[in-house]
Amino acid sequence: MPDSIVIIPTYNEIENIERIIRKVFSLPHDFHVLIIDDGSPDGTPAIVKQLQKEFPERLFMEERAGKQGLGTAYIHGFKWSIARQYDFIFEMDADFSHNPDDLLKLRQACIDGADAAIGSRYIKGVNVVNWPMSRVLMSYFASVYVRFITGIDIQDSTAGFMCYRRKVLETVQLDKVKFVGYAFQIEMKYTTIKHGFKIVEVPIIFTDRTEGTSKMSTSIFREAVFGVIQMKINSVFRKYPEG
């Protein structure tokens, strides 16, 4: 059985979904793909079901009723992947803001000794394409803020392009992860480090979507700002056994 699964949450990604799946399957490593769809009304699940006929042993989909949040989608996908014993479990967006070619670099970083690898926009300057300056600054200084509050040395703490070794996700008590947006990504990295795992940042170029609609909202950003403080406070009273 292949060792790698790429989890891609979707909501109304009909413009991108077939291209992103075919691109992942074209890579020179046998990745499986798990789509977590939150009731997309635009026909995204129907496209995936058609592709499952072409890739019956490589492409999987879990359909959920309605939008339940990015964090819960990934938790669902993590549990699904752990149960099937994948060694390397990836997070990736459907909209090509994450270059599928970089999956190979993230996997290699974990093979080389990391417990988790981040596709980082900020480890070597600011590598973001097609974002307005206001959003670049918001994202960059969100990571500065996270470092200040939590003390973790991660340059891109809100990054959503990740590779985890299975042992990390088996250890971090997924049911205790509470946040759903930007703060979910922060909480996962913070918890991973608190459990004693090693995270490395791999430089990538992030290109904003050209098809479909962004899911970013003010409420998601607000969750990150206030959630980080609450997460830090809660961590004082929580034990983190090392994996």
Side-chain angles (χ1 to χ4, degrees):
M1 177 177 166
D3 61 9
S4 302
I5 182 89
V6 182
I7 302 170
I8 305 177
T10 56
Y11 183 77
N12 287 351
E13 291 290 355
I14 195 168
E15 299 95 342
N16 298 303
I17 193 61
E18 181 170 357
R19 290 190 301 122
I20 197 77
I21 289 170
R22 290 191 181 280
K23 176 61 178 174
V24 172
F25 288 156
S26 75
L27 297 173
H29 181 74
D30 189 8
F31 289 98
H32 283 183
V33 172
L34 171 62
I35 304 298
I36 309 289
D37 189 81
D38 273 6
S40 296
D42 70 343
T44 297
I47 298 294
V48 177
K49 288 173 183 175
Q50 278 297 118
L51 290 170
Q52 283 182 305
K53 298 174 184 177
E54 185 176 346
F55 305 105
E57 303 299 326
R58 300 181 71 187
L59 177 59
F60 308 94
M61 179 167 63
E62 293 282 286
E63 295 185 78
R64 307 195 305 168
K67 295 180 72 174
Q68 299 179 44
L70 183 71
T72 65
Y74 276 128
I75 296 297
H76 185 107
F78 291 159
K79 291 180 177 180
W80 188 99
S81 302
I82 290 168
R84 287 155 183 82
Q85 297 289 292
Y86 289 95
D87 293 324
F88 303 101
I89 301 171
F90 295 79
E91 301 178 6
M92 190 175 75
D93 290 348
D95 60 8
F96 284 93
S97 55
H98 303 143
N99 184 345
D101 289 333
D102 291 330
L103 290 167
L104 298 168
K105 295 196 297 185
L106 296 181
R107 181 175 177 275
Q108 190 61 49
C110 287
I111 289 173
D112 291 342
D115 297 306
I118 302 170
S120 178
R121 296 163 290 188
Y122 307 128
I123 194 65
K124 290 187 176 179
V126 177
N127 292 303
V128 177
V129 177
N130 291 343
W131 262 8
M133 183 55 66
S134 59
R135 188 164 177 189
V136 172
L137 292 173
M138 180 178 73
S139 174
Y140 179 80
F141 283 107
S143 285
V144 172
Y145 169 75
V146 170
R147 290 198 300 277
F148 176 75
I149 297 294
T150 67
I152 64 172
D153 186 21
I154 299 293
Q155 298 301 308
D156 194 355
S157 56
T158 63
F161 195 16
M162 295 283 301
C163 175
Y164 290 99
R165 284 185 171 274
R166 185 177 74 241
K167 66 178 180 180
V168 175
L169 300 179
E170 289 173 331
T171 301
V172 298
Q173 299 173 292
L174 294 171
D175 289 333
K176 290 188 177 182
V177 177
K178 301 302 182 186
F179 297 119
V180 297
Y182 256 174
F184 165 79
Q185 301 294 0
I186 298 165
E187 185 176 7
M188 282 298 300
K189 295 174 185 66
Y190 181 72
T191 305
T192 296
I193 290 171
K194 292 289 284 184
H195 278 284
F197 290 111
K198 177 184 177 182
I199 297 181
V200 301
E201 293 186 79
V202 176
I204 64 162
I205 296 175
F206 177 97
T207 303
D208 196 22
R209 66 164 64 235
T210 58
E211 301 287 348
T213 304
S214 172
K215 311 306 187 295
M216 176 54 63
S217 68
T218 303
S219 62
I220 289 174
F221 186 71
R222 188 184 305 116
E223 180 195 60
V225 172
F226 295 106
V228 169
I229 297 173
Q230 188 62 52
M231 181 184 70
K232 177 65 175 177
I233 293 170
N234 291 346
S235 72
V236 174
F237 305 100
R238 178 178 169 184
K239 294 183 178 179
Y240 295 89
E242 292 197 1

